Amino acid sequence: GKRADLTRADLSSADLYRANLTGAKLYGANLTNAILTYAILTRADLRFADLARAHLIDSDLTGADLSDADLSGADLSGANLRCAELSGANLTGVDLTGVDLTGADLTCANLTGANLSDANLTWAYLTEANLSDANLTGVNLIHTNLIGAILTGAIIDKKRHIADSKN
C-alpha cells in the first residue's frame, strides 16, 4: 500500500501501540511521549523527529532513518535497530538494554549516560560518538568502529576492556 505521509505531524502522546508504520514519512514529526511499543517502523523516515521520552519498547526500527532525531529519555529496550541510521541523533540517557544495533550508524551521536548493557554493536559505527558515562556492560563490540569516540566515565565490565574493540 501507500506509505503514510506524516511529515511534521503532531503525534505527541499518541497511542501507536503495535502500529504498522513501515516506510512511513515521519520527517520532523513530534512523537514526544508517544507509545510506540511493538510498533513496526522498518525503513521509516524519522529524520529530525522528536521522540523524546517516547516508548519504543520491542519496536522494529530495522533500517529506519533517525538521523538528527531527538530520542532523549526514550525507552528503546528490546528494540531492533539493525542497520538503522542514527548519525547525529540525541540518545542522551536512553535505555538501549539488549538492543540489536548490528550495522547501525551512530556517527557523532550523543549517547551520554545511555544504558547499552547487553546491546549488540557488531559492525556498528560509533565514530566520534559521545559515550560519556554510558553503561557498556556486556556489550558486543566485535568490529565496532570507535574512532574518535568519547568514552569518559563509560562503564565497562571487568571481563571486557575497551582496548579489545580497537582492531
Side-chain angles (χ1 to χ4, degrees):
K2 201 175 174 210
R3 291 180 176 188
D5 190 349
L6 296 160
T7 303
R8 294 192 177 84
D10 184 359
L11 295 163
S12 53
S13 300
D15 186 351
L16 295 161
Y17 180 84
R18 288 195 192 277
N20 186 345
L21 292 161
T22 303
K25 294 175 188 162
L26 288 151
Y27 180 96
N30 180 357
L31 288 150
T32 54
N33 295 303
I35 296 159
L36 288 151
T37 303
Y38 293 112
I40 302 163
L41 290 149
T42 50
R43 298 180 312 284
D45 181 359
L46 286 150
R47 290 172 297 153
F48 295 98
D50 189 348
L51 288 143
R53 298 172 310 284
H55 302 268
L56 288 146
I57 302 145
D58 293 318
S59 60
D60 189 352
L61 287 148
T62 308
D65 192 345
L66 291 141
S67 303
D68 301 299
D70 184 0
L71 288 142
S72 56
D75 189 347
L76 282 142
S77 53
N80 185 346
L81 282 154
R82 286 178 76 91
C83 300
E85 176 63 62
L86 290 147
S87 57
N90 180 2
L91 291 147
T92 308
V94 171
D95 186 355
L96 291 157
T97 307
V99 170
D100 188 354
L101 283 153
T102 305
D105 187 350
L106 291 138
T107 304
C108 298
N110 186 352
L111 289 140
T112 304
N115 185 357
L116 286 144
S117 54
D118 299 318
N120 187 350
L121 287 163
T122 307
W123 295 108
Y125 292 88
L126 286 147
T127 313
E128 295 181 29
N130 188 344
L131 289 151
S132 301
D133 301 314
N135 183 351
L136 298 168
T137 307
V139 170
N140 185 341
L141 290 166
I142 297 165
H143 301 296
T144 304
N145 187 334
L146 286 159
I147 294 167
I150 301 160
L151 293 151
T152 313
I155 303 155
I156 297 135
D157 62 54
K158 292 167 186 71
K159 297 184 293 271
R160 189 182 311 271
H161 299 283
I162 211 66
D164 296 347
S165 61
K166 283 186 179 158
N167 317 357

